[in-house]
Amino acid sequence: MNFLEQSKKNHDFLVKIRRELHMNAETSQNEVETSKIIMKYLDEFNIPYKSEIGGHGIIAEIKGDNDGKTVALRADMDALEMEEENDIDFKAKNKNVMHSCGHDSHMTFVLGAAKLLNENKNKINGKVKLVFQPAEELSPIGGAPKILESGLLNDVDAIFGSHVWPDLPFGKIAIKEGAMMANSDHFTVKFRGASSHAAKPHEGVDAIVMGVQFVNAIQTLISRNTDPMNSAVLTVGRFIAGTRYNVMAEECLVDGTCRTFSEEDRQRIYEDMKNLAEAIASVNHGSVDYNYGFGYPALLNEKSSVEIVKNSVKEVFGEESLLEISKPAMTAEDFAFYLEKIKGAFYWVGIGTEGEKNYPLHSNKFFLNEEILHRGSALMAGIAVNFLNEN
């Protein structure tokens, strides 16, 4: 089956879908219009589905004419809280909401693949489930666990997902076996002291001093306590304290994230941060509230599923489009929850254009070349058929 040629014929239709989704961008757990758009196109394709799964999620199913196993293709649905700065006709309508992580294209990939697969049911051995998942950006909870809890994926033998990637050249497909993306955890540490006049610090307990000591101390958890061969990142994104220049701060909030690949490193850093926070509070005669949220697990691609993706890339686009990467990313994806239960693989779709400014994911100027839409759809359809034919 030449899915690429078939998908090219759907290009204008896919652009229409993507722009409609882009204009109606909605945040995590609010994907009402987004789900309506998806259901509208599934109805048009005459593909049956179940809705309101794990919130506003949708799971559709295409049954091939021949018996076989079951494969799932997943797309995330939610957008981010930011105002779009692109001057385009299909600019996001909802204030301070934008598809700046490319989820509109991911939904289009799966809808495009659905159209191709539904038109070729006579060549499908088994079933294809189409998973439209809400709340991917809702770290550390994510939308994937609720989809899994529904039980509707219990019969799935393998699951595949993708993400557009501005750091890669346009049309290149990157994948690796094993760790592809990191554990993603969120910590919030609130130090409590006692306010006093800034000129009489001995009469109070300085929460800012405790916060500063903590931020400095946790740097050694990576630089001195973590194996240099293991990738790990600790970043403080917010430091909030004080009400006035001449009043000693009573509270100090330290808010940040920890990214790791090793579960051993993850647990050790959690414990060491807790011990440091409590020790710093104690020695300064203050107190601390320590909250550490274990978020998305590391995304680990399964070997045989990676081979399916590689072979599909070569078949659909040619071997020159495949990039076998050696290093994972420190970013995170709740697709990892699926891979803890179901074998499968996740890959990146290059959208970078040489000689142009390529804005990163989560930028309010993020934009993509819509020529990627028919390519991403063709590849997803190819992966589904190849998995079913080989199993």
Side-chain angles (χ1 to χ4, degrees), residues 201-213:
H202 60 289
E203 294 180 355
V205 176
D206 195 337
I208 288 179
V209 168
M210 289 188 281
V212 169
Q213 289 175 343

Side-chain angles (χ1 to χ4, degrees), residues 283-301:
V283 78
N284 284 283
H285 308 291
S287 63
V288 65
D289 294 330
Y290 178 77
N291 293 291
Y292 191 101
F294 289 95
Y296 300 170
L299 192 153
L300 307 175
N301 281 335

